[in-house]
Amino acid sequence: MKDLLTRIDFAALYRRQARASSFQARSSADWGRRAVARSRGEKTSDYARQLLGHLDLAGVQTVLDIGCGSGNLAIPLARRVRRVHALDFSAEMLRLLRAAARAEGVRNIRTYRRAWADDWRRIPRADLVLCSRAMAVDDLRAALSKMNAHARRRCCLTMHAGPTFLSTEVYRVLRRPIIPRPGYIYAVNILYQMGIRARVDFLHTTGGLAYDSADQFVEGLRWRLGRLTPSEEKRLRAYFQALPHGADGRAFYRHDFEWALLAWEPPSR
Ligand SMILES: C[S@@+](CC[C@H](N)C(=O)[O-])C[C@H]1O[C@@H](n2cnc3c(N)ncnc32)[C@H](O)[C@@H]1O
């Protein structure tokens, strides 16, 4: 009998799970607005340090960083390899990345404004293809194939592995159910069907964001959740007031995450 596992359509299951989950993909304009807001906020997270500690850069001279954002990883990676190709669909994110690279004297990053679903024929192949926290796609199988097609040596992908993109505390305050989105499970299985045994690791990161005002806090949550009812907003404002406030008057919202880190070698062609 044929291996049943090869016949399950994990990409379709992923699509269903993603559409039902508590967090939906955002447009490039949404990400642009977030880039501006975040560049003003004070963010703390040990994610980049942890991920960079896990990356195998042996023999890697070039990196393709998909969904590079404002350069959290592209900039430190550019100091360790010959060239980083940084791809993102948000012009604002790429602008912030270029400004940060200039400010830090980093000159070996090339930026590409592309979405996952765009034509990537002119995007160069790289020794390492990295997609960190940016696998916001409808077609997971096509995206993984794209990573493979652009990788010379290895691929690395991180996907959210926890129950939500917000703290469970926020859902408790909202009185909303959490519909998790453990997308990495589908990715592991799709890769298996492609004949690839991905290694899976987990990163537990701590961090958070300091907010000047309840308005800023509620706006940030609206970005994640979409519409809020007046009573949800009222409860969130009360929750914000109870957060620990620093001497500068800003409130600190703590945010811990669990990320799945998948690493694999692309099939040889
Ligand atoms: C959470 S940030 C991750 C940034 C960086 N990779 C990191 O881990 O720090 C997600 C990034 O993916 C980008 N992104 C989201 N959906 C995308 C898509 N469909 N095509 C290209 N980029 C996308 C966003 O613009 C954003 O910069």
Side-chain angles (χ1 to χ4, degrees), residues 71 75-76 79 97-107:
I75 292 175
R79 298 187 203 283
L97 183 153
R98 284 191 295 268
R102 252 195 320 276
E104 298 198 27
V106 170
R107 293 168 197 276

Side-chain angles (χ1 to χ4, degrees), residues 9 20 31 36 39 45 57 97 111 119 138 157 201 210 228 237 263:
D9 188 347
W31 278 107
V36 174
S39 64
S45 168
L57 293 181
L97 183 153
T111 57
D119 184 345
D138 215 30
L157 165 67
D201 218 326
L228 298 168
R237 285 178 185 275

Side-chain angles (χ1 to χ4, degrees), residues 5-22:
L5 204 52
T6 58
R7 287 197 245 147
I8 299 174
D9 188 347
F10 286 106
L13 293 175
Y14 170 76
R15 204 171 295 127
R16 264 176 59 191
Q17 171 87 31
R19 285 184 184 162
S21 79
S22 303

Side-chain angles (χ1 to χ4, degrees), residues 31 67-69 72-73 88-90 93 114-116 132-134 136:
W31 278 107
C68 55
N72 205 14
L73 301 162
D88 203 289
F89 72 169
S90 159
M93 286 286 186
R114 294 284 195 295
W116 268 109
S132 158
R133 309 190 288 189

Side-chain angles (χ1 to χ4, degrees), residues 131-233:
C131 171
S132 158
R133 309 190 288 189
M135 186 50 95
V137 294
D138 215 30
D139 191 341
L140 185 55
R141 178 179 290 275
L144 293 169
S145 297
K146 244 169 169 164
M147 288 183 73
N148 285 331
H150 278 78
R152 285 206 194 85
R153 281 175 178 268
R154 57 191 82 101
C155 296
C156 175
L157 165 67
T158 65
M159 290 176 91
H160 195 241
T164 88
F165 275 96
L166 296 165
S167 68
T168 48
E169 186 72 353
V170 162
Y171 281 85
R172 189 189 55 72
V173 170
L174 289 169
R175 300 178 198 148
R176 288 195 191 185
I178 293 172
I179 302 166
R181 185 183 176 166
Y184 74 97
I185 291 174
Y186 303 91
V188 169
N189 285 293
I190 293 170
L191 289 166
Y192 173 85
Q193 291 177 329
M194 293 175 172
I196 296 168
R197 305 288 184 270
R199 298 175 290 285
V200 183
D201 218 326
F202 293 94
L203 306 179
H204 302 270
T205 65
T206 55
L209 205 57
Y211 289 95
D212 291 326
S213 65
D215 285 349
Q216 205 184 44
F217 178 67
V218 169
E219 223 22 72
L221 293 180
R222 204 175 268 127
W223 189 88
R224 286 267 183 229
L225 296 161
R227 250 174 51 80
L228 298 168
T229 67
S231 73
E232 283 177 333
E233 188 173 327

